[in-house]
Amino acid sequence: MTSVTFVVLGATGDLAKRKLFPAIARLVEDKKIKNFAIVGVSRSNKQISSILKQSKKFAKNCKGWKQVEKRSSYLKLDFYNKEDYVKLSQHLNEVEKKHNLKTNRMFYLATLPQHFDTITLNLSKSKLAKTKGWSRVVYEKPFGNDLKSAKKIID
C-alpha cells in the first residue's frame, strides 16, 4: 500500500488502542505503507493525543510511532446520525488533501457488532466508501445474529 486513509470506527476502544494503532505503526516501520493518514472515529469526546498516549505502550520501541502521531486525527461521530457522516466526509477530504492522499480508504469497524448494520448503511448512503481509488470495510468481529442477518449486512 503506498497511499491509504485508515478510518478507525471505535477508535477509543480496547481493540484500536491495543492492536490497530500499533499495527499501523509497525506497517510504517516496515515500510509497507508510505503515505497514510489515520482518522479515529468514536462517539466520545476525546482528543487523538490522549487515545494515542494510551496506545503507545502497545507499540514498544516502534520507529513508526512518531509518524502515526503526526498523521492521526479524531472526529466525534454518532453512528446513528446520518448528518455526522457528512462531517466525516468533509474531515476525510481535508485530511486527504493535507497529506496528498489518493482516496484509498480502509474503514475498520472496531465497534460493537450491533453497530455494524447501521454504520454499513450510512457509509453506503453517504458514499464515503465510493472513491476514485479503492475502499474496504473491515468487520472485526463476527457480525449478524445468524446467516440471514449477516447476509443483510454484506448486501
PDB file of all heavy atoms in Angstrom, residues 25-50:
ATOM      1  N   ALA A  25       1.483   1.400  13.021  1.00  0.00           N
ATOM      2  CA  ALA A  25       2.843   1.893  13.276  1.00  0.00           C
ATOM      3  C   ALA A  25       3.889   0.898  12.790  1.00  0.00           C
ATOM      4  O   ALA A  25       4.918   1.292  12.225  1.00  0.00           O
ATOM      5  CB  ALA A  25       3.028   2.179  14.766  1.00  0.00           C
ATOM      6  N   ARG A  26       3.631  -0.375  12.980  1.00  0.00           N
ATOM      7  CA  ARG A  26       4.588  -1.393  12.522  1.00  0.00           C
ATOM      8  C   ARG A  26       4.624  -1.478  10.996  1.00  0.00           C
ATOM      9  O   ARG A  26       5.671  -1.739  10.403  1.00  0.00           O
ATOM     10  CB  ARG A  26       4.271  -2.731  13.162  1.00  0.00           C
ATOM     11  CG  ARG A  26       4.674  -2.741  14.632  1.00  0.00           C
ATOM     12  CD  ARG A  26       4.537  -4.103  15.302  1.00  0.00           C
ATOM     13  NE  ARG A  26       4.809  -3.955  16.710  1.00  0.00           N
ATOM     14  CZ  ARG A  26       3.899  -3.674  17.646  1.00  0.00           C
ATOM     15  NH1 ARG A  26       2.635  -3.528  17.310  1.00  0.00           N
ATOM     16  NH2 ARG A  26       4.240  -3.554  18.910  1.00  0.00           N
ATOM     17  N   LEU A  27       3.474  -1.281  10.349  1.00  0.00           N
ATOM     18  CA  LEU A  27       3.450  -1.239   8.883  1.00  0.00           C
ATOM     19  C   LEU A  27       4.304  -0.077   8.367  1.00  0.00           C
ATOM     20  O   LEU A  27       5.010  -0.206   7.371  1.00  0.00           O
ATOM     21  CB  LEU A  27       2.019  -1.101   8.368  1.00  0.00           C
ATOM     22  CG  LEU A  27       1.135  -2.336   8.470  1.00  0.00           C
ATOM     23  CD1 LEU A  27      -0.307  -1.988   8.115  1.00  0.00           C
ATOM     24  CD2 LEU A  27       1.648  -3.450   7.578  1.00  0.00           C
ATOM     25  N   VAL A  28       4.224   1.049   9.063  1.00  0.00           N
ATOM     26  CA  VAL A  28       5.043   2.214   8.703  1.00  0.00           C
ATOM     27  C   VAL A  28       6.521   1.892   8.915  1.00  0.00           C
ATOM     28  O   VAL A  28       7.359   2.143   8.041  1.00  0.00           O
ATOM     29  CB  VAL A  28       4.620   3.460   9.525  1.00  0.00           C
ATOM     30  CG1 VAL A  28       5.584   4.615   9.297  1.00  0.00           C
ATOM     31  CG2 VAL A  28       3.195   3.861   9.197  1.00  0.00           C
ATOM     32  N   GLU A  29       6.835   1.331  10.071  1.00  0.00           N
ATOM     33  CA  GLU A  29       8.222   0.976  10.394  1.00  0.00           C
ATOM     34  C   GLU A  29       8.809   0.019   9.356  1.00  0.00           C
ATOM     35  O   GLU A  29       9.957   0.166   8.948  1.00  0.00           O
ATOM     36  CB  GLU A  29       8.265   0.337  11.788  1.00  0.00           C
ATOM     37  CG  GLU A  29       9.651  -0.086  12.227  1.00  0.00           C
ATOM     38  CD  GLU A  29       9.641  -0.712  13.610  1.00  0.00           C
ATOM     39  OE1 GLU A  29       8.769  -1.547  13.895  1.00  0.00           O
ATOM     40  OE2 GLU A  29      10.521  -0.352  14.405  1.00  0.00           O
ATOM     41  N   ASP A  30       7.999  -0.935   8.917  1.00  0.00           N
ATOM     42  CA  ASP A  30       8.453  -1.922   7.938  1.00  0.00           C
ATOM     43  C   ASP A  30       8.353  -1.423   6.493  1.00  0.00           C
ATOM     44  O   ASP A  30       8.566  -2.194   5.563  1.00  0.00           O
ATOM     45  CB  ASP A  30       7.641  -3.214   8.087  1.00  0.00           C
ATOM     46  CG  ASP A  30       7.904  -3.914   9.405  1.00  0.00           C
ATOM     47  OD1 ASP A  30       8.930  -3.624  10.062  1.00  0.00           O
ATOM     48  OD2 ASP A  30       7.058  -4.755   9.796  1.00  0.00           O
ATOM     49  N   LYS A  31       7.970  -0.164   6.335  1.00  0.00           N
ATOM     50  CA  LYS A  31       7.855   0.467   5.023  1.00  0.00           C
ATOM     51  C   LYS A  31       6.823  -0.224   4.121  1.00  0.00           C
ATOM     52  O   LYS A  31       6.955  -0.241   2.891  1.00  0.00           O
ATOM     53  CB  LYS A  31       9.211   0.572   4.340  1.00  0.00           C
ATOM     54  CG  LYS A  31      10.193   1.445   5.113  1.00  0.00           C
ATOM     55  CD  LYS A  31      11.515   1.551   4.430  1.00  0.00           C
ATOM     56  CE  LYS A  31      12.548   2.392   5.100  1.00  0.00           C
ATOM     57  NZ  LYS A  31      12.454   2.859   6.405  1.00  0.00           N
ATOM     58  N   LYS A  32       5.780  -0.767   4.742  1.00  0.00           N
ATOM     59  CA  LYS A  32       4.693  -1.385   3.988  1.00  0.00           C
ATOM     60  C   LYS A  32       3.694  -0.326   3.522  1.00  0.00           C
ATOM     61  O   LYS A  32       2.962  -0.548   2.560  1.00  0.00           O
ATOM     62  CB  LYS A  32       3.956  -2.431   4.833  1.00  0.00           C
ATOM     63  CG  LYS A  32       4.823  -3.555   5.330  1.00  0.00           C
ATOM     64  CD  LYS A  32       5.245  -4.463   4.211  1.00  0.00           C
ATOM     65  CE  LYS A  32       6.044  -5.632   4.799  1.00  0.00           C
ATOM     66  NZ  LYS A  32       6.593  -6.487   3.785  1.00  0.00           N
ATOM     67  N   ILE A  33       3.635   0.788   4.238  1.00  0.00           N
ATOM     68  CA  ILE A  33       2.849   1.936   3.796  1.00  0.00           C
ATOM     69  C   ILE A  33       3.741   3.166   3.854  1.00  0.00           C
ATOM     70  O   ILE A  33       4.545   3.320   4.766  1.00  0.00           O
ATOM     71  CB  ILE A  33       1.564   2.157   4.623  1.00  0.00           C
ATOM     72  CG1 ILE A  33       1.848   2.215   6.121  1.00  0.00           C
ATOM     73  CG2 ILE A  33       0.518   1.131   4.305  1.00  0.00           C
ATOM     74  CD1 ILE A  33       0.644   2.541   6.965  1.00  0.00           C
ATOM     75  N   LYS A  34       3.581   4.013   2.846  1.00  0.00           N
ATOM     76  CA  LYS A  34       4.443   5.181   2.764  1.00  0.00           C
ATOM     77  C   LYS A  34       3.682   6.466   3.058  1.00  0.00           C
ATOM     78  O   LYS A  34       4.136   7.302   3.801  1.00  0.00           O
ATOM     79  CB  LYS A  34       5.073   5.244   1.370  1.00  0.00           C
ATOM     80  CG  LYS A  34       6.011   4.083   1.104  1.00  0.00           C
ATOM     81  CD  LYS A  34       6.609   4.194  -0.282  1.00  0.00           C
ATOM     82  CE  LYS A  34       7.657   3.220  -0.558  1.00  0.00           C
ATOM     83  NZ  LYS A  34       7.647   1.964  -0.728  1.00  0.00           N
ATOM     84  N   ASN A  35       2.551   6.642   2.451  1.00  0.00           N
ATOM     85  CA  ASN A  35       1.765   7.848   2.644  1.00  0.00           C
ATOM     86  C   ASN A  35       0.404   7.438   3.193  1.00  0.00           C
ATOM     87  O   ASN A  35      -0.311   6.663   2.554  1.00  0.00           O
ATOM     88  CB  ASN A  35       1.605   8.607   1.328  1.00  0.00           C
ATOM     89  CG  ASN A  35       1.081   9.999   1.537  1.00  0.00           C
ATOM     90  OD1 ASN A  35       1.069  10.521   2.646  1.00  0.00           O
ATOM     91  ND2 ASN A  35       0.636  10.617   0.460  1.00  0.00           N
ATOM     92  N   PHE A  36       0.066   7.948   4.368  1.00  0.00           N
ATOM     93  CA  PHE A  36      -1.153   7.496   5.030  1.00  0.00           C
ATOM     94  C   PHE A  36      -1.675   8.575   5.963  1.00  0.00           C
ATOM     95  O   PHE A  36      -0.986   9.540   6.279  1.00  0.00           O
ATOM     96  CB  PHE A  36      -0.887   6.222   5.837  1.00  0.00           C
ATOM     97  CG  PHE A  36      -0.067   6.476   7.071  1.00  0.00           C
ATOM     98  CD1 PHE A  36      -0.686   6.602   8.310  1.00  0.00           C
ATOM     99  CD2 PHE A  36       1.312   6.612   7.007  1.00  0.00           C
ATOM    100  CE1 PHE A  36       0.070   6.857   9.454  1.00  0.00           C
ATOM    101  CE2 PHE A  36       2.067   6.867   8.132  1.00  0.00           C
ATOM    102  CZ  PHE A  36       1.445   6.992   9.361  1.00  0.00           C
ATOM    103  N   ALA A  37      -2.890   8.362   6.394  1.00  0.00           N
ATOM    104  CA  ALA A  37      -3.487   9.150   7.467  1.00  0.00           C
ATOM    105  C   ALA A  37      -4.393   8.216   8.247  1.00  0.00           C
ATOM    106  O   ALA A  37      -4.871   7.206   7.713  1.00  0.00           O
ATOM    107  CB  ALA A  37      -4.277  10.323   6.917  1.00  0.00           C
ATOM    108  N   ILE A  38      -4.578   8.536   9.498  1.00  0.00           N
ATOM    109  CA  ILE A  38      -5.500   7.779  10.345  1.00  0.00           C
ATOM    110  C   ILE A  38      -6.540   8.754  10.872  1.00  0.00           C
ATOM    111  O   ILE A  38      -6.186   9.803  11.411  1.00  0.00           O
ATOM    112  CB  ILE A  38      -4.776   7.126  11.541  1.00  0.00           C
ATOM    113  CG1 ILE A  38      -3.657   6.203  11.068  1.00  0.00           C
ATOM    114  CG2 ILE A  38      -5.777   6.379  12.419  1.00  0.00           C
ATOM    115  CD1 ILE A  38      -2.736   5.741  12.187  1.00  0.00           C
ATOM    116  N   VAL A  39      -7.794   8.396  10.696  1.00  0.00           N
ATOM    117  CA  VAL A  39      -8.884   9.178  11.264  1.00  0.00           C
ATOM    118  C   VAL A  39      -9.593   8.276  12.259  1.00  0.00           C
ATOM    119  O   VAL A  39     -10.223   7.288  11.890  1.00  0.00           O
ATOM    120  CB  VAL A  39      -9.855   9.681  10.179  1.00  0.00           C
ATOM    121  CG1 VAL A  39     -11.039  10.404  10.822  1.00  0.00           C
ATOM    122  CG2 VAL A  39      -9.133  10.591   9.194  1.00  0.00           C
ATOM    123  N   GLY A  40      -9.431   8.611  13.531  1.00  0.00           N
ATOM    124  CA  GLY A  40     -10.123   7.883  14.579  1.00  0.00           C
ATOM    125  C   GLY A  40     -11.518   8.457  14.738  1.00  0.00           C
ATOM    126  O   GLY A  40     -11.705   9.671  14.725  1.00  0.00           O
ATOM    127  N   VAL A  41     -12.491   7.574  14.857  1.00  0.00           N
ATOM    128  CA  VAL A  41     -13.888   7.988  14.967  1.00  0.00           C
ATOM    129  C   VAL A  41     -14.517   7.223  16.119  1.00  0.00           C
ATOM    130  O   VAL A  41     -14.318   6.020  16.258  1.00  0.00           O
ATOM    131  CB  VAL A  41     -14.654   7.679  13.659  1.00  0.00           C
ATOM    132  CG1 VAL A  41     -16.120   8.025  13.783  1.00  0.00           C
ATOM    133  CG2 VAL A  41     -14.031   8.390  12.478  1.00  0.00           C
ATOM    134  N   SER A  42     -15.266   7.945  16.932  1.00  0.00           N
ATOM    135  CA  SER A  42     -15.966   7.309  18.039  1.00  0.00           C
ATOM    136  C   SER A  42     -17.060   8.246  18.523  1.00  0.00           C
ATOM    137  O   SER A  42     -17.143   9.391  18.106  1.00  0.00           O
ATOM    138  CB  SER A  42     -14.981   7.005  19.175  1.00  0.00           C
ATOM    139  OG  SER A  42     -15.599   6.223  20.160  1.00  0.00           O
ATOM    140  N   ARG A  43     -17.882   7.740  19.442  1.00  0.00           N
ATOM    141  CA  ARG A  43     -18.993   8.539  19.966  1.00  0.00           C
ATOM    142  C   ARG A  43     -18.576   9.425  21.128  1.00  0.00           C
ATOM    143  O   ARG A  43     -19.344  10.260  21.582  1.00  0.00           O
ATOM    144  CB  ARG A  43     -20.127   7.612  20.414  1.00  0.00           C
ATOM    145  CG  ARG A  43     -20.686   6.780  19.265  1.00  0.00           C
ATOM    146  CD  ARG A  43     -21.743   5.816  19.718  1.00  0.00           C
ATOM    147  NE  ARG A  43     -21.159   4.822  20.612  1.00  0.00           N
ATOM    148  CZ  ARG A  43     -21.854   3.996  21.357  1.00  0.00           C
ATOM    149  NH1 ARG A  43     -23.159   4.043  21.350  1.00  0.00           N
ATOM    150  NH2 ARG A  43     -21.253   3.125  22.121  1.00  0.00           N
ATOM    151  N   SER A  44     -17.365   9.300  21.598  1.00  0.00           N
ATOM    152  CA  SER A  44     -16.892  10.027  22.777  1.00  0.00           C
ATOM    153  C   SER A  44     -16.212  11.340  22.409  1.00  0.00           C
ATOM    154  O   SER A  44     -15.659  11.483  21.324  1.00  0.00           O
ATOM    155  CB  SER A  44     -15.871   9.182  23.539  1.00  0.00           C
ATOM    156  OG  SER A  44     -16.404   7.938  23.862  1.00  0.00           O
ATOM    157  N   ASN A  45     -16.239  12.270  23.350  1.00  0.00           N
ATOM    158  CA  ASN A  45     -15.453  13.498  23.214  1.00  0.00           C
ATOM    159  C   ASN A  45     -14.036  13.185  23.668  1.00  0.00           C
ATOM    160  O   ASN A  45     -13.779  13.053  24.854  1.00  0.00           O
ATOM    161  CB  ASN A  45     -16.023  14.614  24.105  1.00  0.00           C
ATOM    162  CG  ASN A  45     -17.057  15.428  23.394  1.00  0.00           C
ATOM    163  OD1 ASN A  45     -17.038  15.559  22.179  1.00  0.00           O
ATOM    164  ND2 ASN A  45     -17.982  15.984  24.145  1.00  0.00           N
ATOM    165  N   LYS A  46     -13.137  13.027  22.741  1.00  0.00           N
ATOM    166  CA  LYS A  46     -11.747  12.695  23.049  1.00  0.00           C
ATOM    167  C   LYS A  46     -10.818  13.508  22.166  1.00  0.00           C
ATOM    168  O   LYS A  46     -11.232  14.097  21.177  1.00  0.00           O
ATOM    169  CB  LYS A  46     -11.468  11.204  22.796  1.00  0.00           C
ATOM    170  CG  LYS A  46     -12.222  10.248  23.677  1.00  0.00           C
ATOM    171  CD  LYS A  46     -11.552  10.120  25.010  1.00  0.00           C
ATOM    172  CE  LYS A  46     -12.243   9.059  25.843  1.00  0.00           C
ATOM    173  NZ  LYS A  46     -11.550   8.772  27.050  1.00  0.00           N
ATOM    174  N   GLN A  47      -9.567  13.488  22.513  1.00  0.00           N
ATOM    175  CA  GLN A  47      -8.508  14.054  21.685  1.00  0.00           C
ATOM    176  C   GLN A  47      -7.665  12.890  21.169  1.00  0.00           C
ATOM    177  O   GLN A  47      -7.405  11.935  21.908  1.00  0.00           O
ATOM    178  CB  GLN A  47      -7.628  15.003  22.506  1.00  0.00           C
ATOM    179  CG  GLN A  47      -8.360  16.203  23.053  1.00  0.00           C
ATOM    180  CD  GLN A  47      -8.805  17.148  21.944  1.00  0.00           C
ATOM    181  OE1 GLN A  47      -8.073  17.390  20.990  1.00  0.00           O
ATOM    182  NE2 GLN A  47     -10.013  17.655  22.067  1.00  0.00           N
ATOM    183  N   ILE A  48      -7.217  12.976  19.937  1.00  0.00           N
ATOM    184  CA  ILE A  48      -6.405  11.890  19.383  1.00  0.00           C
ATOM    185  C   ILE A  48      -5.136  11.693  20.192  1.00  0.00           C
ATOM    186  O   ILE A  48      -4.672  10.566  20.370  1.00  0.00           O
ATOM    187  CB  ILE A  48      -6.106  12.101  17.875  1.00  0.00           C
ATOM    188  CG1 ILE A  48      -5.540  10.813  17.253  1.00  0.00           C
ATOM    189  CG2 ILE A  48      -5.176  13.275  17.656  1.00  0.00           C
ATOM    190  CD1 ILE A  48      -6.482   9.648  17.225  1.00  0.00           C
ATOM    191  N   SER A  49      -4.596  12.774  20.750  1.00  0.00           N
ATOM    192  CA  SER A  49      -3.362  12.645  21.530  1.00  0.00           C
ATOM    193  C   SER A  49      -3.572  11.761  22.768  1.00  0.00           C
ATOM    194  O   SER A  49      -2.703  10.962  23.110  1.00  0.00           O
ATOM    195  CB  SER A  49      -2.840  14.020  21.945  1.00  0.00           C
ATOM    196  OG  SER A  49      -3.824  14.719  22.682  1.00  0.00           O
ATOM    197  N   SER A  50      -4.718  11.864  23.424  1.00  0.00           N
ATOM    198  CA  SER A  50      -4.957  11.029  24.610  1.00  0.00           C
ATOM    199  C   SER A  50      -5.200   9.569  24.223  1.00  0.00           C
ATOM    200  O   SER A  50      -4.782   8.657  24.940  1.00  0.00           O
ATOM    201  CB  SER A  50      -6.122  11.571  25.441  1.00  0.00           C
ATOM    202  OG  SER A  50      -7.341  11.452  24.750  1.00  0.00           O
TER     203      SER A  50
END
